[in-house]
């Protein structure tokens, strides 16, 4: 097994265990630092240190599973449009003094380790509070983000640690953009019976009655977690062909939490400037998190959120 340790800005050091590693540091768009995971099966993933944003996940046959906007910003200032942005400590912008979706996706993370083995290629990234984050959100924290790439799947896990002396409330979410052939024929399965908040229709709560949720127009919904257990979602494409299975889990301390699911596609009417039409046709956002209500975390407390993406 090979290990790659991050020693400072742009500096990496290998500690070899006798096996030539495949994964390692690279340069991405905008000359930004990235880590590229290369599993022995041929599967790959790329994660930017800016926001710890994963922007690519390819199966062993080279099929891209993650959407990234053709007009995404890679300037190290704005959040990347696409990939899997990390949302913490707020979802949306209830606190107007803080950036939308919080500080995690617009901060430069540190690489803690990169490991290759026959089973998986793994990268871990960390982010701690800084003068910049404390100015916007006055709490001490540490985040750990782990990406596990295998021949069959990609799993991402965001861990929150309250490293301060007082409790805090937070949201976190994995803002996953899945690459699909055409949004007009996509369906999301596994949400039947759940209450959801329809932000496009004024925010009134509704109950999902469909076995397969379609997205024929601008869609922005928060499906409230109902059962505190891993939640499986299936995304289908043209002619109902299954594209992805998603396993979503969350916990606060030792307590398993019911995972909220955000389903989003802006269509042309709500596409932001860094998502020029017709790019909206090529993705569906299926985002696990704790966002319907704030979660509380005591000093030294931990919380975890994960999503496993299994291409079908």
């Amino acid at each position: 097994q090979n290990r790659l340790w991050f020693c400072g800005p742009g500096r990496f050091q290998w500690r070899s265990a006798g096996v030539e590693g495949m994964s390692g540091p690279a340069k991405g768009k905008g000359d930004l630092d990235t880590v590229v995971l290369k599993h022995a099966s041929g599967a790959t993933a790329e994660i930017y240190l800016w926001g710890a944003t994963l922007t690519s996940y390819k199966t062993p046959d080279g099929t891209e599973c993650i959407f990234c906007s053709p007009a995404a910003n890679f300037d190290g200032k704005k959040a990347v449009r696409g990939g899997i942005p990390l949302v913490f400590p707020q979802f949306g912008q209830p606190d107007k003094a803080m950036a939308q979706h919080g500080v995690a996706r617009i901060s430069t993370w540190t690489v803690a380790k990169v490991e290759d083995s026959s089973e998986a290629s793994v990268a871990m990234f960390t982010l701690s509070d800084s003068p910049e984050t404390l100015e916007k959100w006055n709490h001490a924290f540490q985040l750990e983000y782990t990406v596990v790439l295998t021949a069959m799947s990609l799993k991402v896990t965001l861990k929150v640690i309250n490293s301060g002396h007082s409790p805090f409330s937070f949201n976190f979410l994995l803002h996953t953009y899945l690459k699909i052939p055409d949004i007009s024929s996509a369906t999301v399965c596994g949400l039947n019976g759940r209450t959801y908040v329809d932000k496009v229709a004024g925010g009134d709560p509704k109950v999902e009655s469909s076995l397969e949720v379609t997205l024929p127009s601008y869609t922005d919904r928060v499906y409230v977690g109902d059962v505190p257990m891993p939640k499986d979602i299936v995304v289908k494409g043209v002619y109902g062909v299954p594209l992805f299975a998603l396993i979503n889990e969350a916990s606060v301390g030792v307590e398993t939490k019911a995972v909220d699911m955000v389903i989003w596609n802006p269509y042309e009417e709500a596409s932001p400037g860094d998502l020029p039409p017709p790019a909206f046709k090529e993705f569906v956002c299926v985002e696990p998190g704790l966002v319907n209500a704030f979660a509380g975390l005591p000093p030294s407390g931990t919380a975890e959120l994960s999503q496993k993406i299994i291409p079908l």
Side-chain angles (χ1 to χ4, degrees):
Q1 187 179 74
N2 248 10
R3 296 189 176 187
L4 170 68
W5 299 90
F6 186 74
C7 305
R11 292 161 48 212
F12 296 82
Q13 178 181 341
W14 281 103
R15 296 182 181 178
S16 177
V19 179
E20 183 179 357
M22 301 174 65
S23 302
K27 286 289 186 179
K29 296 179 180 179
D31 202 37
L32 295 177
D33 289 322
T34 72
V35 168
V36 174
L37 294 179
K38 297 181 180 180
H39 185 253
S41 65
T44 63
E46 184 171 25
I47 309 98
Y48 281 72
L49 273 61
W50 174 247
T53 305
L54 185 145
T55 58
S56 175
Y57 161 42
K58 293 181 180 179
T59 58
D61 66 1
T63 300
E64 180 62 74
C65 299
I66 298 295
F67 170 86
C68 201
S69 172
N73 290 296
F74 291 93
D75 57 5
K77 297 178 182 179
K78 298 180 180 180
V80 175
R81 175 66 62 187
I84 308 181
L86 305 181
V87 174
F88 173 87
Q90 69 175 0
F91 174 64
Q93 202 173 16
D95 182 353
K96 301 302 181 184
M98 196 190 325
Q100 183 180 19
H101 293 337
V103 300
R105 66 177 188 155
I106 51 171
S107 297
T108 299
W109 292 55
T110 296
V111 182
K113 65 180 179 181
V114 177
E115 299 179 352
D116 280 322
S117 71
S118 58
E119 293 80 18
S121 293
V122 181
M124 178 185 287
F125 305 83
T126 61
L127 178 70
S128 298
D129 59 274
S130 65
E132 290 76 20
T133 67
L134 291 169
E135 181 182 351
K136 302 298 183 183
W137 192 62
N138 191 26
H139 294 284
F141 68 88
Q142 183 174 352
L143 302 180
E144 296 177 359
Y145 183 55
T146 305
V147 180
V148 179
L149 175 70
T150 72
M152 303 299 293
S153 66
L154 176 87
K155 184 176 182 179
V156 294
T157 303
L158 178 60
K159 181 178 182 180
V160 180
I161 303 167
N162 183 345
S163 54
H165 301 292
S166 59
F168 61 65
S169 297
F170 72 99
N171 299 134
F172 61 175
L173 174 133
L174 303 168
H175 200 310
T176 306
Y177 288 71
L178 294 171
K179 188 172 179 62
I180 58 174
D182 184 1
I183 186 61
S184 66
S185 58
T187 59
V188 181
C189 309
L191 298 170
N192 184 48
R194 293 176 68 169
T195 299
Y196 67 92
V197 177
D198 190 339
K199 294 186 176 182
V200 176
D204 292 332
K206 304 177 182 179
V207 176
E208 183 57 67
S209 59
S210 300
L211 293 176
E212 299 188 351
V213 177
T214 60
L215 295 88
S217 59
Y218 173 30
T219 302
D220 188 359
R221 299 178 178 179
V222 178
Y223 285 84
V224 180
D226 53 355
V227 180
M229 60 182 292
K231 187 65 181 179
D232 297 357
I233 301 291
V234 173
V235 177
K236 297 181 180 180
V238 180
Y239 303 122
V241 175
L243 300 176
F244 304 102
L246 308 173
I247 302 173
N248 309 284
E249 301 179 74
S251 63
V252 177
V254 297
E255 183 182 357
T256 300
K257 292 291 188 179
V259 182
D260 303 321
M261 298 298 305
V262 176
I263 308 298
W264 182 73
N265 185 288
Y267 273 68
E268 184 169 356
E269 67 181 273
S271 287
D274 55 0
L275 187 67
F280 68 87
K281 295 180 179 180
E282 301 175 23
F283 73 88
V284 60
C285 283
V286 184
E287 317 163 29
L290 297 181
V291 296
N292 185 58
F294 282 97
L297 206 60
S300 301
T302 63
E304 287 194 8
L305 173 68
S306 69
Q307 183 176 63
K308 187 175 185 178
I309 302 171
I310 306 170
L312 302 174

